[in-house]
Amino acid sequence: DVVPQSSEVLSARTASSERPASDRPPTSNSGREEGSSCRVPAVPGKHSKAGISFQMEIDEAIKESKDRRLQAKYKNAVYVIQRAFALYSFDEVAFSFNGGKDSTVLLHLLRAGYALHEEQNNRSKGIVGGKPKCPLRTIYFESPCAFPEINAFTYETASTYSLQLEIIRLDFKAGLVGLLKEKPVKAIFLGTRIGDPNAIGQEQFSPSSCGWPPFMRVNPILDWSYRDVWAFLLTCKVPYCSLYDKGYTSIGSIYDTVPNSLLSVSDSSSSKDSFRPAYLLADGRLERAGRVKKIAHPTHEKMHVMSNGMNKVGTGSKSLLTASLVAIGDEILFGAVENKLASALCRKLHSIGWGVTHAAAVPNDVDAVAEEVELRKSTNDMVFIYGAVGPLHCDVSLAGVAKAFGVRLAPDEEFEEYLRHLIGDKSSGEKNEMALLPEGITELLHHDMLAVPLIKCQNVIILSATNDDELEKQWSCLLELSNTNKILVPMAPFVTKQLQTTLSDIEIAQPLSKICSEFPDVCIGCYRTSRTGQCIITFNGKVQ
């Protein structure tokens, strides 16, 4: 859940992980009270019905948890909060709350972070004891399109935790301008997560964008995933909006949000649909599956055509899709390694009716990769990159792709989970460089035959193959996946013919030029294996 840019209540992450049962957040069978908008998890004796009694108990609950990933995420988030309270006085900060799960997590992180901050201050002053409250100035953008449960939960939460709720009924930007003009603040805590539409380019501390009122955006949970959010809520046993127990996984307005069909429970004895709770969603990438939205299908306004290079092709020419190949490796340019995958990929693309317009080899340099990708992705339907994938200093393919698209590399929990199962604890920890993927544009292509999914960034596919056998495996998986998601749309097949002649180049030049003029849709080429051997003439085209 994030601060809405318009009337939306929240935005959500698009790429999270499907974890084994042992790694999923703890679950609870208890429900909310009848007639309440607030869902309260099962609570041990020392916790009150409204959640954890005091801020420090959140810290204790995390420390007692066996979830090392959650502990690391919590530690980093609290550090960001404490840092913010060290930079700004309490009166100079505000908290944007919208009743969604992300901002609910942030609320309790703020309570814990503020308590730890005050405890350190009191200790330095020789003050012992005390349980500080956190009556933080809280901004709520109330929308007539919001779910009643969201509104009710927001007001209940504000009352429970003594939040200084300031209600704005304008759009986000206009409301913020008026609010900050009346009561200026220097920083606002936001529940933004990587994958949110407005998260691209943001850091944990990011100044507001050009054209907006000046303030510091503080994003303590920027690197949290869907799984992390639910792990925190259930581990700390804090209340959350009851809609999440009815199958809603990402909540927008009443007009564009429905329960996530992936949580639907079949019940032949009842005509009413029922859904499992949001925290049981196995694949966090599908968090927004309950959002109603129009899907724009890509269309190729400029279709490439076969041409022999001599004549412009008329409107009756046969169209085709094209690809470029980019090999990354100093060894190729040094001549130490032969670029065999290029010819293999050309043959495979040719077999499904695609044309290859360009094949390049670039050094292990981020800028060189970015420049080549930026050029090729705008002129081709697909770009295939191979080489320089991994944890080494020279593995720059992903960084180059990110730079070509103008985004940063960001941690992807789902990809990290695959790596963890593949190479064990060597990839675990607070930060795994191999799990950093281009932010906001990455799609993981899963297949049962692949230990690690392929990486697709819009129209760029990064292959990890290093030899023909690995390429054959990955290509076969791509073709199978294309049956459902149309990654590689098969086109009309090429027809290839060739002939050999002992005639000299001078003797065949004029006849070939005439043929090229008469058949512009046919790609005609010539080559020799030796200057004294036969000339091989090739004809490539498509059946009209």
Side-chain angles (χ1 to χ4, degrees):
D1 305 334
V2 300
V3 174
Q5 294 299 328
S6 57
S7 61
E8 286 190 301
V9 176
L10 64 93
S11 298
R13 171 169 169 77
T14 57
S16 183
S17 67
E18 182 174 355
R19 287 181 172 259
S22 61
D23 288 334
R24 290 178 190 161
T27 59
S28 169
N29 294 323
S30 69
R32 64 184 178 89
E33 285 190 284
E34 191 67 31
S36 171
S37 63
C38 175
R39 198 277 193 184
V40 184
V43 182
K46 72 174 183 176
H47 298 315
S48 70
K49 186 172 117 177
I52 295 179
S53 300
F54 300 103
Q55 294 93 320
M56 292 303 293
E57 292 183 2
I58 295 174
D59 190 64
E60 293 171 8
I62 297 296
K63 289 179 179 178
E64 293 171 1
S65 169
K66 296 181 180 180
D67 189 335
R68 289 189 300 169
R69 178 184 176 86
L70 178 60
Q71 291 173 343
K73 295 291 184 181
Y74 171 80
K75 179 181 177 182
N76 291 338
V78 168
Y79 172 79
V80 172
I81 291 168
Q82 291 179 286
R83 180 63 178 160
F85 282 127
L87 293 171
Y88 308 101
S89 68
F90 192 79
D91 294 334
E92 292 176 329
V93 298
F95 164 47
S96 184
F97 185 68
N98 58 29
K101 61 185 183 303
D102 293 353
S103 60
T104 299
V105 167
L106 181 54
L107 165 64
H108 295 288
L109 287 172
L110 285 169
R111 294 174 58 226
Y114 181 71
L116 292 169
H117 174 72
E118 286 298 290
E119 182 186 62
Q120 291 175 0
N121 283 346
N122 290 339
R123 190 184 302 118
S124 65
K125 297 176 183 178
I127 302 174
V128 180
K131 295 177 179 178
K133 294 183 178 180
C134 186
L136 193 63
R137 182 183 179 187
T138 304
I139 305 168
Y140 177 52
F141 291 85
E142 186 176 275
S143 167
C145 302
F147 283 85
E149 292 89 344
I150 284 287
N151 284 331
F153 174 72
T154 298
Y155 291 121
E156 291 172 15
T157 302
S159 175
T160 300
Y161 299 107
S162 302
L163 303 178
Q164 300 178 17
L165 200 62
E166 299 185 24
I167 302 169
I168 297 176
R169 294 182 173 87
L170 301 172
D171 69 87
F172 181 58
K173 186 174 182 179
L176 196 59
V177 169
L179 179 72
L180 297 186
K181 184 176 181 181
E182 181 182 350
K183 298 179 180 179
V185 296
K186 293 185 177 181
I188 299 179
F189 289 103
L190 306 175
T192 301
R193 286 193 288 129
I194 285 178
D196 294 337
N198 66 321
I200 294 178
Q202 288 203 47
E203 303 290 345
Q204 290 173 324
F205 287 85
S206 290
S208 55
S209 301
C210 181
W212 286 69
F215 66 92
M216 182 63 71
R217 293 175 290 189
V218 184
N219 303 308
I221 62 170
L222 188 64
D223 63 343
W224 284 43
S225 70
Y226 184 85
R227 182 262 178 192
D228 297 327
V229 167
W230 281 109
F232 178 89
L233 291 173
L234 297 175
T235 297
C236 295
K237 301 178 174 62
V238 293
Y240 54 81
C241 180
S242 61
L243 288 175
Y244 292 112
D245 277 346
K246 299 177 181 178
Y248 291 86
T249 53
S250 175
I251 305 172
S253 78
I254 57 177
Y255 301 113
D256 67 3
T257 309
V258 295
N260 194 320
S261 60
L262 296 168
L263 295 172
S264 177
V265 178
S266 300
D267 186 359
S268 57
S269 63
S270 174
S271 59
K272 187 177 181 181
D273 294 332
S274 60
F275 296 86
R276 292 176 295 158
Y279 56 77
L280 294 180
L281 181 67
D283 189 347
R285 294 176 304 137
L286 303 174
E287 178 181 358
R288 293 177 66 85
R291 292 295 195 99
V292 180
K293 60 181 180 180
K294 295 181 180 179
I295 300 176
H297 296 282
T299 58
H300 299 280
E301 297 180 359
K302 294 184 178 179
M303 298 291 288
H304 299 274
V305 295
M306 287 298 300
S307 172
N308 56 40
M310 293 188 62
N311 298 283
K312 294 184 178 179
V313 182
T315 56
S317 302
K318 190 68 177 179
S319 299
L320 77 154
L321 301 179
T322 65
S324 279
L325 314 180
V326 181
I328 305 172
D330 292 333
E331 294 80 4
I332 296 174
L333 299 177
F334 292 156
V337 174
E338 187 177 351
N339 186 10
K340 294 181 179 180
L341 294 188
S343 56
L345 267 174
C346 286
R347 289 192 295 271
K348 293 181 184 302
L349 287 161
H350 190 269
S351 70
I352 62 170
W354 281 53
V356 177
T357 64
H358 190 80
V362 298
N364 295 92
D365 177 77
V366 173
D367 290 333
V369 175
E371 183 179 353
E372 188 68 26
V373 171
E374 185 174 9
L375 176 62
R376 302 305 161 192
K377 71 182 178 66
S378 60
T379 56
N380 289 268
D381 299 284
M382 195 68 72
V383 179
F384 290 89
I385 295 179
Y386 53 94
V389 178
L392 301 177
H393 70 283
C394 55
D395 293 328
V396 297
S397 59
L398 290 170
V401 171
K403 188 168 184 177
F405 282 97
V407 301
R408 65 178 179 177
L409 291 174
D412 187 287
E413 183 196 5
E414 180 190 8
F415 197 64
E416 183 176 7
E417 187 64 21
Y418 277 101
L419 294 174
R420 188 178 71 83
H421 284 287
L422 181 65
I423 57 180
D425 293 337
K426 294 179 182 178
S427 68
S428 63
E430 296 184 12
K431 187 177 181 181
N432 181 5
E433 296 292 343
M434 290 180 66
L436 298 177
L437 303 180
E439 180 186 17
I441 60 171
T442 297
E443 176 185 358
L444 297 181
L445 305 178
H446 307 266
H447 194 283
D448 292 340
M449 294 291 292
L450 300 175
V452 176
L454 297 175
I455 300 168
K456 178 175 177 288
C457 300
Q458 295 188 8
N459 67 331
V460 177
I461 294 178
I462 297 95
L463 300 171
S464 58
T466 59
N467 56 51
D468 287 342
D469 290 339
E470 293 173 354
L471 178 61
E472 180 64 35
K473 183 178 181 179
Q474 293 182 10
W475 181 260
S476 298
C477 293
L478 273 176
L479 292 184
E480 285 190 33
L481 292 171
S482 295
N483 293 331
T484 55
N485 59 18
K486 307 301 181 185
I487 299 172
L488 296 174
V489 180
M491 302 296 288
F494 283 104
V495 177
T496 302
K497 301 291 183 180
Q498 68 177 37
L499 61 85
Q500 298 179 1
T501 179
T502 57
L503 296 174
S504 68
D505 291 352
I506 295 175
E507 291 174 298
I508 66 175
Q510 187 173 355
L512 282 180
S513 295
K514 184 178 180 180
I515 295 174
C516 289
S517 299
E518 293 177 0
F519 301 95
D521 290 351
V522 179
C523 183
I524 302 174
C526 307
Y527 69 93
R528 294 178 183 272
T529 55
S530 72
R531 296 310 305 174
T532 58
Q534 292 183 328
C535 178
I536 301 171
I537 305 173
T538 61
F539 301 86
N540 283 280
K542 297 197 174 190
V543 178
Q544 294 288 349

